Amino acid sequence: MANFDSAWFVYGVLLLLLATSFVVRIDYVRMGLAAAALVALPLVLFRDPDVGYGLLVLAILVVNIGILTRLWLHGTNVRFSAEEEELRRQHFGRLGPLAARGLIDQGHWISAKRGEVLIRENQAAPSLFYLAEGLASVQRDGAEIARLSDGALIGEATVLGGAHATGTVVLGSNARLWFVPAAALRAYLAANPDLAGALHEGFARALRGKLASANTRIAERPLVSKATPASDASNM
């Protein structure tokens, strides 16, 4: 080991710690710390070994691997009902089992009747809704501008920012819904900021689906009718 140059390992550890500094999810931070400790082990073994330094590096490695293993085992024991799994698949696919479980548990599952109003025009969305089963109508100034069906998110465009909705959402049939109050959702994301990116991605995907559907409906209308801008249907 006479030609061993520990500088490369020092650089490797520093680069790993730098990369870890940019991640948001705490489990990724732990992975970075464990990897940095693993790279640092040759310094302990092959150059001027120091018992205290070696024990510290090993402690960092063992502690982080132990916590990651516990989180992984905990995640494998998380269970979802069929409707929860569908919600997760459609809108929270980037969230791990534990994160998805925590988010879904902030809300409630209900059965609602035809004609119930979920969101009112010119008012802030009271909750984020997921339409598991049923139909809903998006109306503006009393005219229908879009229809929503199984799997739709409702309120995702305005629930976090508190902006007023540009339309009213009314159930067109009896429905099965999951909903989380706006204040509870904002508080949960404030306490778990690492979830925000994945949640916003799900919201953006839902909005793109609404825009595509609204544009299709506009294209199918008679030319004599006045088309409603597709963006109005997405501000729910």
PDB file of all heavy atoms in Angstrom, residues 1-20:
ATOM      1  N   MET A   1       0.811  -1.210   0.000  1.00  0.00           N
ATOM      2  CA  MET A   1       0.000   0.000   0.000  1.00  0.00           C
ATOM      3  C   MET A   1       0.852   1.272   0.000  1.00  0.00           C
ATOM      4  O   MET A   1       0.386   2.343   0.374  1.00  0.00           O
ATOM      5  CB  MET A   1      -0.932  -0.003   1.209  1.00  0.00           C
ATOM      6  CG  MET A   1      -1.908  -1.164   1.266  1.00  0.00           C
ATOM      7  SD  MET A   1      -2.968  -1.260  -0.195  1.00  0.00           S
ATOM      8  CE  MET A   1      -3.853   0.290  -0.043  1.00  0.00           C
ATOM      9  N   ALA A   2       2.151   1.143  -0.420  1.00  0.00           N
ATOM     10  CA  ALA A   2       3.038   2.297  -0.372  1.00  0.00           C
ATOM     11  C   ALA A   2       2.592   3.389  -1.320  1.00  0.00           C
ATOM     12  O   ALA A   2       2.843   4.572  -1.091  1.00  0.00           O
ATOM     13  CB  ALA A   2       4.460   1.853  -0.719  1.00  0.00           C
ATOM     14  N   ASN A   3       1.939   3.008  -2.429  1.00  0.00           N
ATOM     15  CA  ASN A   3       1.525   3.995  -3.419  1.00  0.00           C
ATOM     16  C   ASN A   3       0.090   4.481  -3.204  1.00  0.00           C
ATOM     17  O   ASN A   3      -0.469   5.152  -4.064  1.00  0.00           O
ATOM     18  CB  ASN A   3       1.644   3.396  -4.832  1.00  0.00           C
ATOM     19  CG  ASN A   3       3.084   3.081  -5.194  1.00  0.00           C
ATOM     20  OD1 ASN A   3       3.988   3.818  -4.797  1.00  0.00           O
ATOM     21  ND2 ASN A   3       3.291   1.990  -5.937  1.00  0.00           N
ATOM     22  N   PHE A   4      -0.474   4.098  -2.111  1.00  0.00           N
ATOM     23  CA  PHE A   4      -1.872   4.502  -1.849  1.00  0.00           C
ATOM     24  C   PHE A   4      -1.951   6.011  -1.622  1.00  0.00           C
ATOM     25  O   PHE A   4      -1.213   6.565  -0.808  1.00  0.00           O
ATOM     26  CB  PHE A   4      -2.396   3.752  -0.613  1.00  0.00           C
ATOM     27  CG  PHE A   4      -3.775   4.187  -0.199  1.00  0.00           C
ATOM     28  CD1 PHE A   4      -4.878   3.744  -0.902  1.00  0.00           C
ATOM     29  CD2 PHE A   4      -3.955   5.033   0.889  1.00  0.00           C
ATOM     30  CE1 PHE A   4      -6.151   4.128  -0.512  1.00  0.00           C
ATOM     31  CE2 PHE A   4      -5.217   5.423   1.273  1.00  0.00           C
ATOM     32  CZ  PHE A   4      -6.321   4.970   0.573  1.00  0.00           C
ATOM     33  N   ASP A   5      -2.824   6.661  -2.370  1.00  0.00           N
ATOM     34  CA  ASP A   5      -3.000   8.102  -2.255  1.00  0.00           C
ATOM     35  C   ASP A   5      -4.392   8.370  -1.685  1.00  0.00           C
ATOM     36  O   ASP A   5      -5.412   8.207  -2.357  1.00  0.00           O
ATOM     37  CB  ASP A   5      -2.862   8.768  -3.637  1.00  0.00           C
ATOM     38  CG  ASP A   5      -2.878  10.301  -3.530  1.00  0.00           C
ATOM     39  OD1 ASP A   5      -3.096  10.811  -2.414  1.00  0.00           O
ATOM     40  OD2 ASP A   5      -2.696  10.952  -4.564  1.00  0.00           O
ATOM     41  N   SER A   6      -4.423   8.762  -0.431  1.00  0.00           N
ATOM     42  CA  SER A   6      -5.708   8.972   0.239  1.00  0.00           C
ATOM     43  C   SER A   6      -6.442  10.207  -0.271  1.00  0.00           C
ATOM     44  O   SER A   6      -7.625  10.384   0.010  1.00  0.00           O
ATOM     45  CB  SER A   6      -5.493   9.101   1.753  1.00  0.00           C
ATOM     46  OG  SER A   6      -4.695  10.244   2.030  1.00  0.00           O
ATOM     47  N   ALA A   7      -5.755  11.062  -1.019  1.00  0.00           N
ATOM     48  CA  ALA A   7      -6.399  12.294  -1.489  1.00  0.00           C
ATOM     49  C   ALA A   7      -7.638  11.982  -2.318  1.00  0.00           C
ATOM     50  O   ALA A   7      -8.642  12.689  -2.250  1.00  0.00           O
ATOM     51  CB  ALA A   7      -5.403  13.122  -2.310  1.00  0.00           C
ATOM     52  N   TRP A   8      -7.567  10.896  -3.113  1.00  0.00           N
ATOM     53  CA  TRP A   8      -8.729  10.554  -3.941  1.00  0.00           C
ATOM     54  C   TRP A   8      -9.930  10.213  -3.085  1.00  0.00           C
ATOM     55  O   TRP A   8     -11.073  10.534  -3.433  1.00  0.00           O
ATOM     56  CB  TRP A   8      -8.371   9.386  -4.864  1.00  0.00           C
ATOM     57  CG  TRP A   8      -7.390   9.763  -5.925  1.00  0.00           C
ATOM     58  CD1 TRP A   8      -6.070   9.417  -5.999  1.00  0.00           C
ATOM     59  CD2 TRP A   8      -7.635  10.598  -7.068  1.00  0.00           C
ATOM     60  NE1 TRP A   8      -5.478   9.973  -7.108  1.00  0.00           N
ATOM     61  CE2 TRP A   8      -6.424  10.709  -7.793  1.00  0.00           C
ATOM     62  CE3 TRP A   8      -8.765  11.257  -7.553  1.00  0.00           C
ATOM     63  CZ2 TRP A   8      -6.322  11.438  -8.966  1.00  0.00           C
ATOM     64  CZ3 TRP A   8      -8.657  11.993  -8.722  1.00  0.00           C
ATOM     65  CH2 TRP A   8      -7.449  12.085  -9.408  1.00  0.00           C
ATOM     66  N   PHE A   9      -9.698   9.554  -1.974  1.00  0.00           N
ATOM     67  CA  PHE A   9     -10.809   9.209  -1.098  1.00  0.00           C
ATOM     68  C   PHE A   9     -11.347  10.446  -0.395  1.00  0.00           C
ATOM     69  O   PHE A   9     -12.547  10.582  -0.167  1.00  0.00           O
ATOM     70  CB  PHE A   9     -10.370   8.152  -0.082  1.00  0.00           C
ATOM     71  CG  PHE A   9     -10.144   6.805  -0.696  1.00  0.00           C
ATOM     72  CD1 PHE A   9      -8.889   6.416  -1.113  1.00  0.00           C
ATOM     73  CD2 PHE A   9     -11.209   5.934  -0.881  1.00  0.00           C
ATOM     74  CE1 PHE A   9      -8.682   5.185  -1.692  1.00  0.00           C
ATOM     75  CE2 PHE A   9     -11.010   4.701  -1.464  1.00  0.00           C
ATOM     76  CZ  PHE A   9      -9.752   4.314  -1.871  1.00  0.00           C
ATOM     77  N   VAL A  10     -10.471  11.365  -0.048  1.00  0.00           N
ATOM     78  CA  VAL A  10     -10.918  12.624   0.551  1.00  0.00           C
ATOM     79  C   VAL A  10     -11.817  13.364  -0.424  1.00  0.00           C
ATOM     80  O   VAL A  10     -12.890  13.859  -0.073  1.00  0.00           O
ATOM     81  CB  VAL A  10      -9.721  13.499   0.957  1.00  0.00           C
ATOM     82  CG1 VAL A  10     -10.201  14.868   1.435  1.00  0.00           C
ATOM     83  CG2 VAL A  10      -8.916  12.814   2.046  1.00  0.00           C
ATOM     84  N   TYR A  11     -11.361  13.442  -1.704  1.00  0.00           N
ATOM     85  CA  TYR A  11     -12.178  14.101  -2.717  1.00  0.00           C
ATOM     86  C   TYR A  11     -13.520  13.395  -2.885  1.00  0.00           C
ATOM     87  O   TYR A  11     -14.566  14.031  -3.044  1.00  0.00           O
ATOM     88  CB  TYR A  11     -11.440  14.111  -4.057  1.00  0.00           C
ATOM     89  CG  TYR A  11     -10.231  15.017  -4.088  1.00  0.00           C
ATOM     90  CD1 TYR A  11      -9.072  14.635  -4.752  1.00  0.00           C
ATOM     91  CD2 TYR A  11     -10.259  16.272  -3.461  1.00  0.00           C
ATOM     92  CE1 TYR A  11      -7.949  15.464  -4.782  1.00  0.00           C
ATOM     93  CE2 TYR A  11      -9.143  17.092  -3.485  1.00  0.00           C
ATOM     94  CZ  TYR A  11      -8.004  16.690  -4.144  1.00  0.00           C
ATOM     95  OH  TYR A  11      -6.910  17.507  -4.175  1.00  0.00           O
ATOM     96  N   GLY A  12     -13.472  12.066  -2.856  1.00  0.00           N
ATOM     97  CA  GLY A  12     -14.723  11.312  -3.012  1.00  0.00           C
ATOM     98  C   GLY A  12     -15.701  11.596  -1.892  1.00  0.00           C
ATOM     99  O   GLY A  12     -16.899  11.785  -2.122  1.00  0.00           O
ATOM    100  N   VAL A  13     -15.195  11.620  -0.660  1.00  0.00           N
ATOM    101  CA  VAL A  13     -16.056  11.911   0.487  1.00  0.00           C
ATOM    102  C   VAL A  13     -16.639  13.310   0.377  1.00  0.00           C
ATOM    103  O   VAL A  13     -17.841  13.529   0.595  1.00  0.00           O
ATOM    104  CB  VAL A  13     -15.267  11.763   1.806  1.00  0.00           C
ATOM    105  CG1 VAL A  13     -16.093  12.269   2.978  1.00  0.00           C
ATOM    106  CG2 VAL A  13     -14.869  10.303   2.023  1.00  0.00           C
ATOM    107  N   LEU A  14     -15.811  14.272   0.034  1.00  0.00           N
ATOM    108  CA  LEU A  14     -16.281  15.652  -0.077  1.00  0.00           C
ATOM    109  C   LEU A  14     -17.326  15.803  -1.175  1.00  0.00           C
ATOM    110  O   LEU A  14     -18.325  16.519  -1.015  1.00  0.00           O
ATOM    111  CB  LEU A  14     -15.099  16.592  -0.341  1.00  0.00           C
ATOM    112  CG  LEU A  14     -14.115  16.752   0.818  1.00  0.00           C
ATOM    113  CD1 LEU A  14     -12.936  17.622   0.397  1.00  0.00           C
ATOM    114  CD2 LEU A  14     -14.795  17.353   2.045  1.00  0.00           C
ATOM    115  N   LEU A  15     -17.109  15.114  -2.300  1.00  0.00           N
ATOM    116  CA  LEU A  15     -18.083  15.189  -3.387  1.00  0.00           C
ATOM    117  C   LEU A  15     -19.413  14.562  -2.986  1.00  0.00           C
ATOM    118  O   LEU A  15     -20.485  15.076  -3.321  1.00  0.00           O
ATOM    119  CB  LEU A  15     -17.519  14.497  -4.636  1.00  0.00           C
ATOM    120  CG  LEU A  15     -16.433  15.273  -5.388  1.00  0.00           C
ATOM    121  CD1 LEU A  15     -15.828  14.402  -6.488  1.00  0.00           C
ATOM    122  CD2 LEU A  15     -17.010  16.561  -5.978  1.00  0.00           C
ATOM    123  N   LEU A  16     -19.353  13.455  -2.274  1.00  0.00           N
ATOM    124  CA  LEU A  16     -20.587  12.821  -1.804  1.00  0.00           C
ATOM    125  C   LEU A  16     -21.330  13.721  -0.831  1.00  0.00           C
ATOM    126  O   LEU A  16     -22.554  13.848  -0.886  1.00  0.00           O
ATOM    127  CB  LEU A  16     -20.269  11.476  -1.144  1.00  0.00           C
ATOM    128  CG  LEU A  16     -20.051  10.300  -2.095  1.00  0.00           C
ATOM    129  CD1 LEU A  16     -19.521   9.092  -1.328  1.00  0.00           C
ATOM    130  CD2 LEU A  16     -21.351   9.938  -2.793  1.00  0.00           C
ATOM    131  N   LEU A  17     -20.601  14.344   0.078  1.00  0.00           N
ATOM    132  CA  LEU A  17     -21.244  15.256   1.022  1.00  0.00           C
ATOM    133  C   LEU A  17     -21.827  16.466   0.305  1.00  0.00           C
ATOM    134  O   LEU A  17     -22.906  16.955   0.665  1.00  0.00           O
ATOM    135  CB  LEU A  17     -20.233  15.700   2.079  1.00  0.00           C
ATOM    136  CG  LEU A  17     -19.784  14.621   3.066  1.00  0.00           C
ATOM    137  CD1 LEU A  17     -18.710  15.163   3.996  1.00  0.00           C
ATOM    138  CD2 LEU A  17     -20.970  14.097   3.884  1.00  0.00           C
ATOM    139  N   LEU A  18     -21.139  16.954  -0.733  1.00  0.00           N
ATOM    140  CA  LEU A  18     -21.659  18.073  -1.511  1.00  0.00           C
ATOM    141  C   LEU A  18     -22.946  17.674  -2.216  1.00  0.00           C
ATOM    142  O   LEU A  18     -23.944  18.410  -2.200  1.00  0.00           O
ATOM    143  CB  LEU A  18     -20.617  18.526  -2.536  1.00  0.00           C
ATOM    144  CG  LEU A  18     -21.044  19.666  -3.474  1.00  0.00           C
ATOM    145  CD1 LEU A  18     -21.361  20.922  -2.682  1.00  0.00           C
ATOM    146  CD2 LEU A  18     -19.952  19.937  -4.508  1.00  0.00           C
ATOM    147  N   ALA A  19     -22.950  16.497  -2.841  1.00  0.00           N
ATOM    148  CA  ALA A  19     -24.155  16.036  -3.528  1.00  0.00           C
ATOM    149  C   ALA A  19     -25.308  15.852  -2.548  1.00  0.00           C
ATOM    150  O   ALA A  19     -26.458  16.185  -2.844  1.00  0.00           O
ATOM    151  CB  ALA A  19     -23.860  14.716  -4.257  1.00  0.00           C
ATOM    152  N   THR A  20     -24.993  15.340  -1.365  1.00  0.00           N
ATOM    153  CA  THR A  20     -26.022  15.142  -0.341  1.00  0.00           C
ATOM    154  C   THR A  20     -26.635  16.459   0.077  1.00  0.00           C
ATOM    155  O   THR A  20     -27.822  16.534   0.415  1.00  0.00           O
ATOM    156  CB  THR A  20     -25.411  14.429   0.880  1.00  0.00           C
ATOM    157  OG1 THR A  20     -24.870  13.174   0.475  1.00  0.00           O
ATOM    158  CG2 THR A  20     -26.461  14.185   1.955  1.00  0.00           C
TER     159      THR A  20
END
